[in-house]
Amino acid sequence: MPATSGSAANAALRVTEIFHSIQGESSRVGLPTVFIRLTGCPLRCTWCDTAYAFSGGELLAIEGILQRVAAFDCATVCVTGGEPLAQKACLPLLAALCDAGHSVSLETSGALDIGAVDPRVARIVDLKAPGSGESAKNRWENIDLLAPDDELKFVLASREDYEWAVSACRQRRLFERCPVLFAPVQGQIDPAQLAQWILEDRLPLRFQLQLHKVLWGNAPGK
C-alpha cells in the first residue's frame, strides 16, 4: 500500500464505522465493498436511515483508516455518511484511497460542492426530492461538474416526488449527463409501482432497491 504524504496521513476524520459488506446501491450493486461511514450531516431528510451517523464516531487519522481498509483485502471502497464532504479531510482521504489502488466511490447528498473531489473517484450524487424536506439545498451547480462515470440518484417517497424527478431530468438533460437511478423510500412507496411508472414513461434510467436491506434489514454495519 503506497504511503500517504505526511500532511495527509496526519489529517483526521470523525468516523462512525468501517465495515465490509455487499454494495446495495448504484451501478456497483452486488460488489463486495469496504464502507467508510463518516460522521455528521448538515441535512435532515425526513426518511433518513442513517441518523445514527449524525454525531459521535471515532477520530481517526487517514493512515489509520487506510490500515483498517487494507485489512479487508477488498479492492472496492465506498465513502459515505452522513454527508462525507461536510468534513474537509474527506478530500485527502479520497485521494489517499485512490493512491492505495482502490476503486473508490463517494456517496454525497449533492448539497455540497463536488468540484474538488479527486477525478478518480466515482461521485454518486443524491439529489433531494421535495418529500425529503431538503430539496431547497440541492446544489444544481454540481450538475455541470458531473462526468460519465458519476451517477445521479433520486430517492422518491411519492408520485409527486417521481414527477418532480422526471421533470428535473428532462429539463436539465440529466439522462444525457451520466447514469440516473430512481429508488423508492422504504415503506412509503410501493417499489413495484415505481417500477411501473418508469416503464410507462420509457425512462432511460436504472431502478434500484437497497440490496443490503433485502439481505439484512436496516442494521448498522451491513
Side-chain angles (χ1 to χ4, degrees):
M1 180 177 67
T4 57
S5 66
S7 59
N10 293 328
L13 299 101
R14 190 157 292 280
V15 180
T16 294
E17 55 188 352
I18 300 174
F19 60 97
H20 188 216
S21 187
I22 297 295
Q23 175 60 265
E25 303 182 64
S26 81
S27 63
R28 298 179 174 212
V29 65
L31 289 176
T33 301
V34 177
F35 292 85
I36 304 169
R37 188 180 305 283
L38 300 185
T39 307
C41 183
L43 280 68
R44 291 294 183 268
C45 296
T46 58
W47 40 254
C48 180
D49 57 5
T50 53
Y52 65 90
F54 287 167
S55 60
E58 177 184 5
L59 198 61
L60 294 174
I62 287 178
E63 191 63 37
I65 296 173
L66 294 178
Q67 290 172 1
R68 291 197 187 185
V69 170
F72 291 110
D73 191 24
C74 180
T76 306
V77 175
C78 177
V79 179
T80 186
E83 169 49 71
L85 293 179
Q87 297 192 49
K88 292 182 179 179
C90 180
L91 296 175
L93 170 63
L94 292 166
L97 289 165
C98 292
D99 290 342
H102 295 290
S103 174
V104 183
S105 63
L106 168 72
E107 294 185 348
T108 178
S109 67
L112 301 180
D113 186 3
I114 65 171
V117 174
D118 191 295
R120 295 171 291 180
V121 175
R123 299 168 296 187
I124 315 301
V125 178
D126 186 349
L127 290 174
K128 303 303 183 182
S132 71
E134 294 285 25
S135 61
K137 294 182 181 177
N138 286 325
R139 182 183 172 87
W140 294 104
E141 296 88 342
N142 280 334
I143 299 301
D144 291 334
L145 303 176
L146 293 170
D149 289 337
D150 297 323
E151 299 180 18
L152 284 168
K153 181 174 71 173
F154 294 83
V155 180
L156 309 174
S158 65
R159 176 72 189 193
E160 290 74 22
D161 275 0
Y162 171 81
E163 292 177 352
W164 175 89
V166 172
S167 177
C169 288
R170 287 174 171 165
Q171 291 180 11
R172 298 176 183 273
R173 305 177 70 87
L174 302 184
F175 295 131
E176 301 166 24
R177 174 74 61 174
C178 68
V180 174
L181 306 101
F182 279 12
V185 175
Q186 189 177 43
Q188 294 194 35
I189 185 172
D190 178 13
Q193 181 64 79
L194 175 58
Q196 187 60 39
W197 294 338
I198 291 169
L199 293 172
E200 289 172 354
D201 289 336
R202 308 290 196 270
L203 300 180
L205 55 77
R206 181 189 295 266
F207 169 83
Q208 72 167 28
L209 291 173
Q210 294 174 298
L211 178 60
H212 53 288
K213 290 185 179 179
V214 175
L215 295 173
W216 296 295
N218 197 29
K222 289 291 188 180

